[in-house]
Amino acid sequence: MPRVASIILGSLLAVLLIPSVAGAQTPLPTPTPTPPAPTPTPAPAPAPAALSIKLERVKQVGHDKVIVRGKKVRVVGTLAPFVAGQKVTVRLNRGSHKVRQKTVAVQPGGGFGALLKVPEGKLNVRASHAATPQQAAAKAKRQRLVGINSRAGLGSRGATVRVIQHRLSTLHYAVARTGVFDASTARAVIAYRKMRGWGRVGFASKAVVRSLLAGKGTFKARFPSHGKHVEADLSRQVLVLLNGGKPYRIYTVSSGKASTPTVLGRFKVYSRQIGTNALGMVDSSYFIGGYAIHGYHDVPTFPASHGCLRVPVPNARSIYDWLRIGDRVDVYP
């Protein structure tokens, strides 16, 4: 009996195990793969940037751009290529110190402009564009600027005087370029005022400074065909050395007073005398009789001589050295 029971139990266990084995042999379904996430589109790179500026409402004096202090310089420029919504910051610096700043929008086409009030002194103008997602950063080449006073007199010095002296020299007035408003500058300013028909004083007023910056006050030769010659314009009380129609130097002069007027006409230098003679005449060039161009200790801004053409003593030697026997001297009212 035990043997029969054992056989029956083994058969039952075999029957029970058949479904489990069959189930283990059935393959599992393959899972559906998840599609990859789409790659995001990268943001466009910022546009490149090139920035340039120039200054307006200024005058070029030598290597400097000059404007009278208190006036406004106009800074205009271009940011290229044009990208909508961009801005440019314009700065006016004295050295590394910022004195003025303005931020302006770039207009269609890339142009922009800013007005900045100018103080006195040596300055520089800068412009920059800060980087944005749409356009790269850029800086313009800086521009130099000099702000000057509107007037100057004896003892003044600095940029204002240097500009006055440079302009006077460019217009051929006899002036020493020392950077100090000295007696030489005062004489040149008097001659300049005479040419402009203004009060005959050695002071550079606002009108004088602005006129000089504008390049006004030139001398126009009356006898350009006379070659190397002198013209004495008695109405203006100036004496001018000329090479043809081009002025070489312009000086203040005092001609003969009403009781002893200077002779009018066309003459030639016939005699020269260096040094000081018994009459106090310095470095004399005679053009007729006893009439001469010479230095003298007293040269007022009006006719006061005994008929000669008086020039300030500091100018006498340079005139004497320039003249030669036979040079023409034209004297007219």
Side-chain angles (χ1 to χ4, degrees), residues 258-269:
S259 59
T260 53
T262 302
V263 62
L264 305 178
R266 302 178 184 181
F267 313 101
K268 290 185 179 181
V269 175

Side-chain angles (χ1 to χ4, degrees), residues 218-260:
T218 56
F219 180 86
K220 185 176 180 180
R222 187 172 294 190
F223 302 103
S225 63
H226 287 185
K228 180 175 179 284
H229 69 292
V230 177
E231 292 190 17
D233 184 337
L234 302 191
S235 63
R236 292 189 175 100
Q237 289 288 284
V238 295
L239 182 138
V240 186
L241 312 183
L242 298 111
N243 289 306
K246 184 179 179 180
Y248 171 69
R249 289 288 185 272
I250 305 172
Y251 302 88
T252 183
V253 69
S254 177
S255 63
K257 57 189 175 183
S259 59
T260 53

Side-chain angles (χ1 to χ4, degrees), residues 65-126:
K65 295 177 176 65
V66 176
I67 188 171
V68 175
R69 73 179 180 117
K71 296 291 183 181
K72 291 184 177 181
V73 61
R74 179 170 176 79
V75 184
V76 297
T78 303
L79 179 64
F82 169 69
V83 177
Q86 305 306 298
K87 293 183 178 181
V88 170
T89 298
V90 182
R91 297 178 181 85
L92 187 61
N93 290 5
R94 181 183 286 113
S96 60
H97 176 66
K98 179 181 68 180
V99 293
R100 300 281 187 276
Q101 176 175 306
K102 186 171 288 188
T103 299
V104 294
V106 179
Q107 302 301 313
F112 61 89
L115 289 173
L116 298 173
K117 190 175 181 180
V118 177
E120 182 185 0
K122 292 184 177 181
L123 310 162
N124 59 79
V125 183
R126 303 170 184 263

Side-chain angles (χ1 to χ4, degrees), residues 267-314:
F267 313 101
K268 290 185 179 181
V269 175
Y270 73 91
S271 179
R272 304 168 73 227
Q273 183 183 37
I274 198 168
T276 306
N277 66 17
L279 299 175
M281 299 163 61
V282 180
D283 299 334
S284 306
S285 297
Y286 293 87
F287 54 90
I288 184 174
Y291 294 87
I293 300 167
H294 66 84
Y296 201 65
H297 68 89
D298 181 27
V299 185
T301 59
F302 50 85
S305 80
H306 297 97
C308 289
L309 297 172
R310 292 182 186 174
V311 296
V313 170

